[in-house]
Amino acid sequence: RGPLVRTTLARLAPDEHALLFVTHHIVCDAVSLGWMANELSALYTAFTRDEPPRLPELAAQYADFAHWQRQTLTGDFLEAERAWWKERLSGAPPALELPTDRPRPPRQTSRGAVYRLPMSPALATGIRELSRKAAVTPYMALLAAFQVLLLRYSGQEDLVVGTPVAGRGRREVERLIGFFANTLANCGNAKACRRASWRCGWTRPATRRSSRCSPACATCAWARTRTRTCPSNNWWTCWCPSATPAARRCSRRCSCT
């Protein structure tokens, strides 16, 4: 039920105002918020200068994206993608067993905290150098290191790290406002490649294949978790800069899906 978008203009002073914007996640993602802010700024600037607004013409609308996706995810192609994801997710652990200082609650809640771990310039330079030598992106290198870290703390060799991706693979949808994000499941055996360079090289083809199959990822993962659900499953989130150029950030969540 609507409204899906609500706005309120608050007057803080005679010459200072704040625009409050609330939208449902189903119609807007993080990338959309950036484009929306840019367009609102351009419109407001044109209004204050008594000029006609000049926004670039859009090559498509969200309805076009939905139509393209429905045309793609059908028939043999969809079945092949589902089969690939089911094979990748088969045997995945139902939960990530980290040695926490408190027992896992019987039911998952929204209680939690955020810890920010700034990356030093020297460490960032080292990651870029390692990525260059292994012929991978910094995202792939960080993902490989994160999986090895989870192996060390949990002792679990088979891991699934979920990464929200922008989902804007077509140039026509880059500037659209809507929900395009998808969760990409990166599966792998962390024990198989403990050495950093080997691990990065192993992660590269797996990540590329998963990215190509990302439109069907949510459908397959949802079908799987309908039969295997951990009610107290905890999600651990790790933010890293510039994982995707459009989003400027990514969220890395480790769980069974």
Side-chain angles (χ1 to χ4, degrees), residues 1-239:
R1 295 183 180 181
L4 297 177
V5 177
R6 293 179 295 169
T7 58
T8 300
L9 183 63
R11 185 177 185 181
L12 307 179
D15 59 347
E16 184 179 2
H17 298 75
L19 178 63
L20 307 179
F21 181 86
V22 179
T23 181
H24 197 288
H25 203 351
I26 200 173
V27 298
C28 189
D29 54 21
V31 178
S32 299
L33 291 177
W35 290 120
M36 188 178 302
N38 290 339
E39 292 188 3
L40 286 175
S41 177
L43 292 172
Y44 184 74
T45 301
F47 173 77
T48 56
R49 296 176 179 176
D50 196 21
E51 298 175 352
R54 294 184 177 89
L55 296 178
E57 293 291 334
L58 297 176
Q61 295 293 334
Y62 192 83
D64 298 312
F65 167 76
H67 177 67
W68 295 332
Q69 193 174 59
R70 287 180 180 178
Q71 282 188 320
T72 303
L73 297 178
T74 57
D76 295 338
F77 176 80
L78 177 60
E79 293 306 317
E81 299 297 273
R82 282 180 173 174
W84 188 85
W85 278 110
K86 288 180 179 179
E87 180 182 358
R88 290 284 291 171
L89 294 172
S90 62
L96 181 65
E97 300 296 342
L98 292 174
T100 57
D101 56 351
R102 294 178 177 84
R104 187 187 298 270
R107 284 285 174 182
Q108 180 185 2
T109 68
S110 298
R111 298 176 59 187
V114 176
Y115 294 91
R116 302 185 183 277
L117 304 175
M119 184 180 298
S120 66
L123 180 57
T125 300
I127 292 175
R128 286 192 292 268
E129 181 65 18
L130 173 64
S131 304
R132 185 187 63 80
K133 292 181 179 179
V136 299
T137 63
Y139 160 75
M140 294 179 185
L142 289 170
L143 173 62
F146 191 51
Q147 289 175 325
V148 174
L149 178 66
L150 294 178
L151 166 65
R152 179 176 180 181
Y153 280 109
S154 68
Q156 296 176 232
E157 300 177 3
D158 294 316
L159 298 168
V160 182
V161 179
T163 304
V165 293
R168 297 172 184 249
R170 299 183 61 131
R171 184 179 298 274
E172 299 92 333
V173 304
E174 287 182 353
R175 296 181 59 91
L176 290 185
I177 296 174
F179 185 79
F180 297 87
N182 194 4
T183 300
L184 182 63
N186 296 281
C187 315
N189 187 290
K191 188 178 181 180
C193 303
R194 293 198 180 197
R195 186 174 175 179
S197 58
W198 298 347
R199 180 67 191 167
C200 291
W202 182 92
T203 303
R204 180 177 59 247
T207 303
R208 288 178 175 175
R209 181 67 171 90
S210 298
S211 299
R212 189 179 70 81
C213 300
S214 62
C217 175
T219 302
C220 179
W222 178 86
R224 176 180 172 274
T225 54
R226 291 290 292 177
T227 56
R228 292 185 61 189
T229 301
C230 178
S232 62
N233 187 21
N234 295 320
W235 293 69
W236 295 68
T237 305
C238 174
W239 296 91

